[in-house]
Amino acid sequence: MLRRLLPLFVFLALAALLAVGIGLSRNPDRTALPSTLIGKPAPGFALPLLDPAAATSSPARIVHSRELAGKPYVLNVWGSWCVNCREEHPLVSALAASGATVVGYNYHDDPADARRWLAQFGNPYALIVADEDGRNALDWGIYGAPETYVVDARGIVRFKHVGELTPQIVAEQIKPLLAAGAAR
C-alpha cells in the first residue's frame, strides 16, 4: 500500500517546494527589473531620424547619441504596434509639454506605420530615432515597448522603467531625476 502512495507523496512534496520557491521569489513590482545600465554611461548610437513630416522615400539623417549630451532627457521606447504605448502617450505628451526633453525610440516598427501613429496621436518628441531591426536596442537592454529611461546631463543612465508609465512614476521618479540631472 505504501508503495502505491509513494508517487503521490513525491508529487506533493515537489509541488510544495515549487509553491514555496515561487512565493519567495515573487517581486510585487514586476516593472522594477534590474538594469546593468543604471549609474553607467548611456550606450552610444547612430540611428536614422524618424521625421514625421518626411516622405517615406526621403533619406533619413543619422542621429548620434552625442547630439544629446549636456542636458538630461527621457528616452521613451514605443512602437505603433504597442497597445500600452497608446495608453501612456498622453502622459508622455504631458511630460514633454512640461519642458522635459523626451526622445522617442521607435522600436521594431515600420516607419510609415510610425508616421501614421504620430499623425493620429500627436508627436511629443524632441526627436525620434528609428531602430527597425532592434539591433541597437540590445545595447540598452530593451526587449519590448513601452520602456522608459532617464539619462542625466553627463550621459549617465539614472532610471529604467519597463511597462506603461503612470502619473505617480512621472511625478515621484522621473521629474526629480530630470531636475537633478539638469543641475549636474
Side-chain angles (χ1 to χ4, degrees), residues 42-43 45 61 63-75 101-105 126-129 140 151-155:
F45 62 79
R61 175 176 82 83
V63 175
H64 296 269
S65 54
R66 65 180 173 266
E67 294 174 42
L68 301 170
K71 61 182 174 182
Y73 64 93
V74 174
L75 184 77
T101 300
V102 182
V103 176
Y105 190 105
L127 64 91
I128 305 165
V129 294
W140 283 85
V151 180
D152 72 15
R154 292 186 359 233

Side-chain angles (χ1 to χ4, degrees), residues 32-115:
L33 297 176
S35 174
T36 58
L37 290 179
I38 304 299
K40 295 182 182 171
F45 62 79
L47 290 168
L49 175 71
L50 178 73
D51 183 352
T56 56
S57 60
S58 301
R61 175 176 82 83
I62 300 298
V63 175
H64 296 269
S65 54
R66 65 180 173 266
E67 294 174 42
L68 301 170
K71 61 182 174 182
Y73 64 93
V74 174
L75 184 77
N76 180 247
V77 181
W78 67 280
S80 64
W81 47 266
C82 169
V83 175
N84 288 55
C85 297
R86 242 175 239 203
E87 297 297 320
E88 82 168 0
H89 196 68
L91 198 53
V92 173
S93 297
L95 181 62
S98 75
T101 300
V102 182
V103 176
Y105 190 105
N106 187 240
Y107 176 66
H108 270 295
D109 209 353
D110 178 84
D113 292 341
R115 287 184 185 94

Side-chain angles (χ1 to χ4, degrees), residues 138-162:
L138 296 174
D139 295 339
W140 283 85
I142 296 168
Y143 65 89
E147 288 187 23
T148 305
Y149 296 79
V150 174
V151 180
D152 72 15
R154 292 186 359 233
I156 305 298
V157 176
R158 296 296 174 191
F159 176 77
K160 176 183 180 178
H161 177 78
V162 176

